[in-house]
Amino acid sequence: MNRKRVVIAGLGDVGVLTAIRLAGHADVVGISAKPALVSGQELGVRLARPEDWARDYWIPFDNFRRLDRVRKVQATLVGLDLAGRAVLGRRDDGSEVAEHYDALVISTGVSNGFWRRPTLQSPAEIGAELRAAHDRVAAADSVIVIGGGAAAITSAANMAATWPAKRIDLYFPGDRALGEYHPAIWKRIRGRLTGLGVGLHPGHRARVPDGFCGDDITGEPVHWSTGQPLSSADAVLWAIGRVRPNTDWLPPALLDERGFVRVTPELRVPGHPGVFAVGDVAATDPLRSSARNRGDALVARNIRAEFAGGDLRTFKTPGRRWGSLLGIQPNGLEVFLPTGHAFRFPTWSVERVVMPWIVRWGMYRGVRENHPLLT
């Protein structure tokens, strides 16, 4: 009996986990613009401690043991032939790619600032971009962070912790930041930021230049549409949450009015058996929760069920965002729950249990430790 072929379009955080879950059950092909998992998570650690970030969030595909069974194709996605059931791409040398599928997983995520872009990159280019952003903020005596979401919060906190002599100011439009999280979480994080010396400026909405989506760290004064005097710093980090779904390669009929992929509660694209979407690209709910709530496990399970003629399960959303906000710190890892409660993994447990066993073996089913650009 011929094995089914699954094509996974996009090997970011969710795509990699989906590929790992399906690798033993089908012939899996993963298409990615990168030669590695280059996570969009933990921007603050990425900027302040790039070596620490790279160890956990920039992982060459060859380091994942379960991806040994997956054929990886580095290419830019350029089209989808629904009738012919083929994903179309273009390699760096201009040659064309056509990967046929029995099932397709669309997990191309979103673009959001310089840290999340679907551009073809070599390992050297990834490393140079990582170092350039770090060097830019390291050289600044003052930094403005604009935004009220998780990326802005983690950036302000980690930069302040790494460089206590810098002036770090966080500007956000509402009365409080982290509006998608439980109010108790912001109360706790606000105290942490204040303790680190971060200046907090609520009620400031930046006037964003036309066409600008936070793709660069800038140095020009910031103007506020809410009427306050302009603000200046040596470096301005725009973490304004202007996400753009990476769906230019898809037929418009598959997309909602904002360009995200329409899905049923089973994470299947309506009217197209065998086509699924998961992660930030999937229009599951306003928070696009399948990116953070085991959406990979559900879509892998539903693909196997569809192949076997079984029933598909539905995705349930948590209602609020949750998770780690500041990343791994010298005193451990704090995780926030949808209820507003938090629990901390002490440093010893992060180093000996959480990362080696829960993450690298439990989630990823084995990760080789060598990293060509960190050794």
Side-chain angles (χ1 to χ4, degrees), residues 19-266:
I20 286 170
R21 291 183 178 278
L22 287 168
H25 305 280
D27 290 332
V28 180
V29 179
I31 305 176
S32 172
K34 318 292 185 191
L37 169 61
V38 183
S39 176
Q41 299 182 58
E42 306 297 359
L43 175 61
V45 178
R46 173 176 174 146
L47 288 169
R49 307 194 312 272
E51 291 83 5
D52 291 346
W53 180 88
R55 182 191 61 234
D56 297 326
Y57 296 101
W58 170 19
I59 307 174
F61 292 140
D62 288 345
N63 284 25
F64 293 96
R65 297 181 186 274
R66 281 293 183 92
L67 292 189
D68 290 347
R69 313 181 202 180
V70 174
R71 182 161 62 85
K72 281 81 69 180
V73 178
Q74 187 173 4
T76 298
L77 294 162
V78 297
L80 173 62
D81 179 359
L82 286 166
R85 300 179 73 82
V87 178
L88 310 177
R90 185 177 297 113
R91 294 187 177 90
D92 193 33
D93 62 5
S95 61
E96 296 182 352
V97 173
E99 294 292 344
H100 293 269
Y101 61 84
D102 295 297
L104 167 65
V105 179
I106 301 168
S107 54
T108 43
V110 296
S111 295
N112 182 16
F114 60 86
W115 61 96
R116 297 176 82 179
R117 291 187 288 197
T119 51
L120 276 173
Q121 286 183 303
S122 67
E125 289 169 333
I126 296 168
E129 185 176 73
L130 178 68
R131 179 56 61 180
H134 167 77
D135 290 347
R136 177 75 172 84
V137 295
D141 291 328
S142 57
V143 180
I144 285 175
V145 181
I146 303 174
I153 298 302
T154 183
S155 298
N158 278 282
M159 286 190 289
T162 300
W163 297 295
K166 286 188 193 300
R167 177 171 63 83
I168 309 288
D169 288 283
L170 174 66
Y171 293 82
F172 47 94
D175 293 333
R176 69 178 182 93
L178 299 177
E180 296 174 338
Y181 292 77
H182 193 284
I185 296 177
W186 168 239
K187 183 177 180 180
R188 188 179 181 99
I189 292 293
R190 182 181 60 197
R192 191 77 49 79
L193 292 169
T194 302
L196 289 167
V198 176
L200 302 180
H201 306 272
H204 285 67
R205 185 175 295 278
R207 187 171 292 143
V208 184
D210 291 342
F212 181 71
C213 295
D215 294 329
D216 294 296
I217 298 172
T218 62
E220 293 77 23
V222 180
H223 297 261
W224 308 104
S225 63
T226 39
Q228 297 89 347
L230 61 81
S231 304
S232 299
D234 296 329
V236 180
L237 174 65
W238 298 76
I240 52 179
R242 289 198 171 183
V243 299
R244 306 177 303 282
N246 297 322
T247 54
D248 291 346
W249 60 285
L250 290 171
L254 302 188
L255 310 179
D256 68 8
E257 65 281 358
R258 297 180 59 211
F260 294 90
V261 181
R262 293 183 295 112
V263 291
T264 68
E266 295 79 19

